[in-house]
Amino acid sequence: MTDNLAISIHNVSVKYKLIHERSLTLKEAAVNLLKGKRDKFEYLWALKGINMSVKKGETVGIIGSNGSGKSTLLKVIAKIIEPSDGTIKHNGILSAMIELGAGFNPELTGEENIYLNGAILGLSKSTIRRKFGEIVEFAELEKFIDIPVKNYSSGMYMRLGFALSTAVDPDILIIDEILAVGDESFQRKCFRKINEFKQKGKTIIIVSHDLNSIVRMCDKAYLIRDGNLISEGYPHDVIHFYRSLISKGEIDISNIPSRQGSGDVRIKDVKFYNSSGIETDSFNTGDMLRVRIEYYASKKIDKPVFGVAIHSEGGAHINGPNTKLYGLDIDFIQGEGALEYTIHSLTLLEGGYYFTVAIFDYTCTQPYDYWDKCLKFNVSNGNIKERYGIFYMPSEWKKI
């Protein structure tokens, strides 16, 4: 393993034994043994010959549908499970955010769990004592640190787990989809912390279904399908390939989070552009935002309706226009095609916003393909001085 590598993964495979019928009692097991009857089982290869090299200071994303093997790969890297074959080498201290707070003892207080789990993570007692205030402040648990964590909400549990994991100050940070949960302020705090780690030259590995976050944060991406590593490279290119597999039906649509529909029409790709025609997911209040929706119809579809929706990070439904309401009647579609939706002046204030794209039948009751909040774009205020709320409404103040 060379000095510039943080992680080296060579020919790693993981095999699980799935038992379909098992003897429930000792007597039953003895009788089955005498009869020559054995438990019925099969082997499942969760990972198959994975090879990866992650450089020091790189931020890499791992994507794929549910059940593809992403989380198994992270657990192998974190040494939570041992590979059936192959080798993994680390170069530096590693901290894994896979199941935040999974090791907490519910009967112990928050403070006691910090000391216990901090020791498990490799922190000395003096280090924990020195960082204790920082951990509690980040987790926002000053008033609750002396009560048993069994009385914590899931959000409190998560905040404490994240604060403790990052307090280790690792060389390698592993994150498994934990940023998809929690309230808006906690998510922003997590992203700020991750950006701090990036600026310090830490190595970060992220598994996420938020593909826009992968593009925005990662230097490289890997695509896992059925336990195989099938694509690697620049995040935008890997994600484009991933979506092309989805549109061709080579990846089961039911395994894509927040996606549903008959599949007679499949959304191939959705891209955001600014007024200069540059693809981006970052805009300022007042900017033009153009959305290009590429699709493939496997057969002739009469009178389809294309629609979009925008939600705030807090879940507020901001708008939901479609071609039918706009008065754009589409006679039919067949094969490949594209549609554009343009917001001429983006009146949203600073924040992150989730974007939904859907294709329905003319009654708007049967979806062909529905990507629910699967995309995200970000808005900065730019020269706008307003800071509160969601919308910017041009106005003036006058003393009379």
Side-chain angles (χ1 to χ4, degrees):
M1 185 172 178
T2 60
D3 290 339
N4 71 324
L5 289 182
I7 297 174
S8 176
I9 301 171
H10 178 67
N11 201 32
V12 164
S13 298
V14 172
K15 179 173 65 175
Y16 292 121
K17 185 176 182 180
L18 303 179
I19 299 178
H20 299 298
E21 290 185 16
R22 182 191 295 273
S23 302
L24 299 178
T25 64
L26 181 60
K27 179 179 179 181
E28 185 178 324
V31 171
N32 287 339
L33 182 62
L34 292 173
K35 290 181 178 180
K37 184 179 178 181
R38 299 179 179 272
D39 293 337
K40 293 183 178 180
F41 65 89
E42 65 175 317
Y43 287 109
L44 170 68
W45 288 94
L47 295 175
K48 306 169 188 175
I50 302 294
N51 291 284
M52 289 173 55
S53 295
V54 181
K55 296 178 182 177
K56 288 182 178 179
E58 264 190 329
T59 299
V60 302
I62 302 175
I63 64 174
S65 59
N66 291 335
S68 60
K70 308 183 301 298
S71 295
T72 299
L73 178 57
L74 286 198
K75 289 178 181 178
V76 170
I77 295 173
K79 296 187 177 181
I80 294 173
I81 60 176
E82 289 292 325
S84 304
D85 295 297
T87 59
I88 295 179
K89 295 181 180 179
H90 298 159
N91 192 349
I93 299 171
L94 183 147
S95 181
M97 300 183 194
I98 293 178
E99 295 177 5
L100 289 183
F104 289 163
N105 185 326
E107 300 299 327
L108 299 181
T109 66
E111 180 177 357
E112 291 167 337
N113 271 291
I114 288 174
Y115 278 93
L116 174 62
N117 283 269
I120 293 172
L121 291 171
L123 297 176
S124 66
K125 191 172 183 179
S126 60
T127 300
I128 298 172
R129 189 181 298 113
R130 177 169 50 85
K131 294 191 173 187
F132 182 80
E134 173 190 332
I135 295 170
V136 176
E137 181 181 1
F138 188 96
E140 301 172 3
L141 292 174
E142 292 90 343
K143 296 180 180 179
F144 308 99
I145 202 64
D146 294 323
I147 66 173
V149 299
K150 67 180 180 182
N151 298 316
Y152 283 11
S153 67
S154 58
M156 295 162 68
Y157 224 76
M158 188 185 343
R159 294 200 302 270
L160 183 58
F162 187 97
L164 187 55
S165 295
T166 53
V168 178
D169 194 26
D171 303 302
I172 304 167
L173 183 64
I174 295 177
I175 305 169
D176 186 10
E177 204 58 73
I178 58 122
L179 301 181
V181 289
D183 59 30
E184 182 179 348
S185 62
F186 175 70
Q187 289 181 13
R188 289 184 178 180
K189 183 180 284 190
C190 290
F191 279 116
R192 284 197 297 270
K193 177 62 73 171
I194 292 171
N195 283 326
E196 286 178 20
F197 274 67
K198 283 172 63 70
Q199 291 168 7
K200 291 178 181 178
K202 308 288 187 179
T203 304
I204 305 172
I205 302 177
I206 301 172
V207 161
S208 178
H209 289 300
D210 184 350
L211 301 183
N212 282 325
S213 291
I214 296 294
V215 170
R216 187 170 68 252
M217 299 181 64
C218 297
D219 308 304
K220 190 175 183 180
Y222 295 88
L223 174 59
I224 305 289
R225 181 177 69 173
D226 298 329
N228 295 287
L229 174 58
I230 64 171
S231 181
E232 63 179 276
Y234 291 114
H236 182 275
D237 295 337
V238 174
I239 289 170
H240 182 77
F241 176 61
Y242 178 41
R243 286 174 172 161
S244 72
L245 294 179
I246 295 169
S247 68
K248 295 174 185 176
E250 295 182 25
I251 291 181
D252 185 1
I253 191 173
S254 64
N255 283 336
I256 307 304
S258 303
R259 190 175 185 185
Q260 55 183 302
S262 67
D264 292 333
V265 186
R266 294 180 184 273
I267 299 166
K268 292 178 59 178
D269 207 352
V270 180
K271 299 175 181 177
F272 300 129
Y273 296 92
N274 62 20
S275 58
S276 300
I278 298 172
E279 185 178 353
T280 181
D281 63 0
S282 298
F283 300 87
N284 287 323
T285 303
D287 282 358
M288 186 199 79
L289 187 159
R290 176 171 288 127
V291 185
R292 180 179 173 86
I293 304 165
E294 299 177 0
Y295 64 84
Y296 175 78
S298 59
K299 62 181 183 180
K300 183 180 179 182
I301 301 294
D302 293 321
K303 292 189 175 298
V305 176
F306 288 74
V308 301
I310 297 176
H311 288 78
S312 72
E313 285 185 322
H317 186 182
I318 294 170
N319 76 337
N322 63 49
T323 54
K324 183 178 180 180
L325 291 172
Y326 182 76
L328 176 62
D329 288 332
I330 303 170
D331 291 336
F332 71 92
I333 56 174
Q334 189 170 7
E336 292 187 349
L339 209 73
E340 284 191 345
Y341 168 69
T342 302
I343 300 174
H344 296 290
S345 180
L346 195 61
T347 58
L348 298 172
L349 288 173
E350 187 169 274
Y353 296 90
Y354 290 102
F355 197 80
T356 294
V357 182
I359 307 173
F360 281 86
D361 71 342
Y362 195 69
T363 67
C364 295
T365 59
Q366 300 297 323
Y368 297 116
D369 200 358
Y370 192 109
W371 288 19
D372 183 24
K373 296 187 283 295
C374 285
L375 301 148
K376 190 176 183 182
F377 65 90
N378 299 283
V379 177
S380 298
N381 284 344
N383 295 324
I384 303 299
K385 295 182 179 180
E386 289 191 24
R387 291 292 182 269
Y388 306 107
I390 295 176
F391 288 107
Y392 168 66
M393 294 180 284
S395 58
E396 66 175 340
W397 288 90
K398 182 185 292 185
K399 184 178 183 298
I400 57 174

